Amino acid sequence: MAEEERQHSIDPATVEMIAKAKADGASIVFERADKMKPCPIGQEGSCCRQCSMGPCRVPIGKNKEETAEEKVKRKGVCGATAETIAARNFTRMIAAGSAAHSDHARKVVELFLLTAEGKAPGFSIKDEQKLLALALDFRVEIGERTNEAIATNIGKLAFKEFGQQNGELWLMRRAPLKRQELWRKLGVAPRGIDREVVESMHRTHMGVDQDYHSLLAQGMRTALADGWGGSMIATELQDVMFGTPAPVLSQINLGVLKADEVNIIIHGHEPQLAEMLAVMAQDPELIAYAKSKGAQGINLAGMCCTANEILMRHGLPIAGNFLQQELAIVTGALEALVVDVQCIMQGIQDVAQCYHTKIITTDPRAHIAGAIHIEFDEHKAIETAKNIIRMAIDNFTNRGKNIHIPVEKTDLIAGFSHETINYLQGGLFRASYHPLNENIINGRIRGVAGVVGCNNARVTHDDVHVRLVKELIKNDVLVLQTGCSAMACAKVGLMLPEAAAEAGPGLRSVCEALGIPPVLHMGSCVDNARILIAATAMVKDGGLGDDLSDLPVAGAAPEWMSEKALSIGQYFVGSGVFTVFGVNWPTIGSKEVTNFLFQDYEAMYGGMWAFEADPIQMAKLMIDHIDKKRKALGIDKARERVLFDMDMRRSMEAV
Ligand code: XCC
Ligand code: SF4
């Protein structure tokens, strides 16, 4: 198939905007991906750039069944083997991903402390219940103390998790006991978040750790410091400050932009500024100012994970996922694209040159050449937010004639935090995971899958997510989602209770009884920590084994692209979850390393990696794993019986 005929997206709004970009002469990611072939050597993890005697390339090449002799020849100048090179690259990617999530968390802790000390006007402790729960976890005294005093203690202890040199991460104790013991036994219990990232960088430096086993163990420790450290801290403290998500109805896709309002999109990952923008977009003075410029109002929407954050807590609409960021500008109706950190393509600045959109960077760690920089200062958040909104309003009158907003927008329900799932199953006083476990044991629900992660321009946008998730729910697998994957499925209506009609009979009956969709939106990528907590709650409720690896669950990132996704995958695997990635696999250049991750890991962690690009095959791998776990738990029979009885039971109910 000629490159131009390649299907870029299954989303009509995206397809329409790709065509508009082409007509307008704007260069976008889809077009660049067609032109730029990925480097085959780098893609398989066989390129080492760790020193200036290289870069050394040791591709496995076409001859995938190489002889021992050939294998010996595959070495870098320093003698590093293909195994070392692949494992080093893999570990470095994890370190970068873990660093990204954790540096996000660090900022959250900083704001949390400022808030507790009353030095961040506009921010407050919104969720007292969660604050107190965290106090118990961190063993902070509650007594008669004020929320602020308790929060200060928690903030300081959370900070300690970053700089701690020895011992173990405190939050690691939230995992099932058996899991903690396993981590200790394998020497992968994280000591301190920053220490693990730094040590990964050190050990992957030229001439340090040169055995893939120990390299990958450090990679695991660094990933666990993300899932049970950085990401978990970010999620928990954000909930305390901004509120723990509860079910909320909203809309998604480029159609949420409005022709007659000032459109502002906030894009990236950290919710601090976005929270303040959400509040300030309601400010009567600013709305009046917008009207004075001929607009009907101010329309704030999100993109990527910042979108998930403000969707979950404010019900603000989502304009799109990762691959749609440039396309929002292409509508010609976007006054400002405000960005914080991560997953922001530099391409947006170029695209903005063809339209009137202002690109506004706001984080001291993330500048873009040519963009306007308005730094977000926690001490003056209200002012910063107002300035940004005013700038967008002023830009409204600069809109050109070349405007087209796609009509597509879909309703969705989001906000399924661990607390919400718990509550939905029994109310405030009887909240528990018991009904979920019961339904898994009786077979109505076959298992649970976490489907998460990015979009990737190397595959058809949204297609792999949607096909995988549809296949899973059809087979009675309840799906938990975060990130851009959640957005892909929301766009096709899978996050509405009506979508239960697409689920298998068992899952459908449970969804209908609870009034929930078969696909639950749990938030942003740091919120994958919520999935760890939910899975742990399933173990603790009983009946499904005594470790996370006993659960009939599986994970996937079908269209992954970011290093963060790799860190997430690794901590899920290390937590005992079978995890499949699509698109490509970054250690293919070493068969030994790949086998280690795909096979040997199972005996070590109870969870292992897999790679499968085809969504239907991917679903099959996940379902097979779920069935294997059901069998081990002795609940495989129950499922068959229930399915067999379905018709009979329905006819009985009808009587
Ligand atoms: Fe980025 Fe989080 Fe990936 Fe989307 S899913 S492309 S990481 S925004 Ni996290
Ligand atoms: Fe080559 Fe070794 Fe240097 Fe890597 S560290 S670039 S393999 S010489």
Side-chain angles (χ1 to χ4, degrees), residues 101 267-269 303-306 308 321-323 342-343 452-455 482-485 487 524-526 528 559-565 568:
H101 285 145
H267 166 33
H269 283 77
M303 198 149 244
C304 283
C305 280
T306 305
N308 284 327
N321 51 5
F322 177 68
L323 284 178
Q342 301 167 20
C343 301
V452 308
C454 323
N455 286 143
T482 60
C484 291
S485 183
M487 300 183 189
S524 66
C525 297
V526 291
N528 283 313
E559 300 180 18
W560 78 283
M561 64 89 201
S562 100
E563 293 167 312
K564 291 177 287 173
I568 294 167

Side-chain angles (χ1 to χ4, degrees), residues 266-342:
I266 169 92
H267 166 33
H269 283 77
E270 296 185 358
Q272 296 90 302
L273 170 63
E275 278 286 326
M276 204 43 84
L277 285 172
V279 175
M280 286 303 133
Q282 320 270 332
D283 185 60
E285 240 173 75
L286 286 170
I287 293 172
Y289 186 53
K291 289 193 171 154
S292 78
K293 299 281 174 179
Q296 291 301 308
I298 303 165
N299 181 36
L300 179 66
M303 198 149 244
C304 283
C305 280
T306 305
N308 284 327
E309 301 282 4
I310 51 177
L311 160 77
M312 299 271 285
R313 301 196 182 90
H314 296 275
L316 282 175
I318 300 185
N321 51 5
F322 177 68
L323 284 178
Q324 293 178 286
Q325 54 186 284
E326 294 166 329
L327 303 179
I329 304 171
V330 173
T331 61
L334 182 61
E335 274 57 58
L337 181 52
V338 185
V339 303
D340 50 79
V341 291
Q342 301 167 20

Side-chain angles (χ1 to χ4, degrees), residues 112 125 127-143 147 150-151 154 157 170-171 174 232 236-237 239-240 244 418-419 422 533:
F112 190 79
I125 307 288
D127 191 335
E128 184 182 47
Q129 224 180 339
K130 185 132 188 180
L131 176 82
L132 299 183
L134 259 186
L136 292 178
D137 272 357
F138 274 111
R139 300 204 189 144
V140 165
E141 190 204 325
I142 297 174
N147 284 349
I150 295 169
I154 293 177
L157 287 171
W170 191 254
L171 288 178
R174 285 181 157 187
M232 198 171 278
E236 299 293 273
L237 298 196
D239 279 357
V240 173
T244 302
H418 152 69
E419 289 82 353
N422 207 11
I533 301 285

Side-chain angles (χ1 to χ4, degrees), residues 583-609:
V583 190
N584 55 39
W585 182 252
T587 69
I588 291 290
S590 165
K591 218 178 188 173
E592 238 175 282
V593 168
T594 304
N595 285 345
F596 185 66
L597 295 168
F598 287 16
Q599 289 159 20
D600 301 359
Y601 259 23
E602 184 168 20
M604 295 166 66
Y605 293 104
M608 64 292 193
W609 284 97

Side-chain angles (χ1 to χ4, degrees), residues 305-412:
C305 280
T306 305
N308 284 327
E309 301 282 4
I310 51 177
L311 160 77
M312 299 271 285
R313 301 196 182 90
H314 296 275
L316 282 175
I318 300 185
N321 51 5
F322 177 68
L323 284 178
Q324 293 178 286
Q325 54 186 284
E326 294 166 329
L327 303 179
I329 304 171
V330 173
T331 61
L334 182 61
E335 274 57 58
L337 181 52
V338 185
V339 303
D340 50 79
V341 291
Q342 301 167 20
C343 301
I344 299 147
M345 293 193 214
Q346 189 168 359
I348 54 173
Q349 178 56 27
D350 235 24
V351 176
Q353 301 310 304
C354 304
Y355 307 89
H356 76 302
T357 309
K358 290 210 187 314
I359 306 295
I360 305 175
T361 55
T362 61
D363 192 285
R365 299 161 297 178
H367 294 258
I368 295 176
I372 301 162
H373 189 74
I374 303 182
E375 203 152 295
F376 172 60
D377 176 352
E378 290 88 344
H379 302 86
K380 292 183 281 186
I382 298 173
E383 240 175 281
T384 318
K386 278 187 172 172
N387 282 344
I388 289 171
I389 295 174
R390 249 186 242 117
M391 182 173 282
I393 295 172
D394 286 335
N395 198 26
F396 183 72
T397 49
N398 296 329
R399 260 195 207 178
K401 294 255 170 297
N402 180 14
I403 295 175
H404 181 74
I405 301 173
V407 293
E408 282 80 11
K409 53 179 170 185
T410 312
D411 286 347
L412 81 153

Side-chain angles (χ1 to χ4, degrees), residues 48-56 76-80 85 88 206:
C48 181
R49 301 191 308 116
Q50 251 78 325
C51 87
S52 77
M53 295 194 286
C56 298
V77 171
C78 66
I85 292 173
R88 249 184 341 211
M206 190 273 158

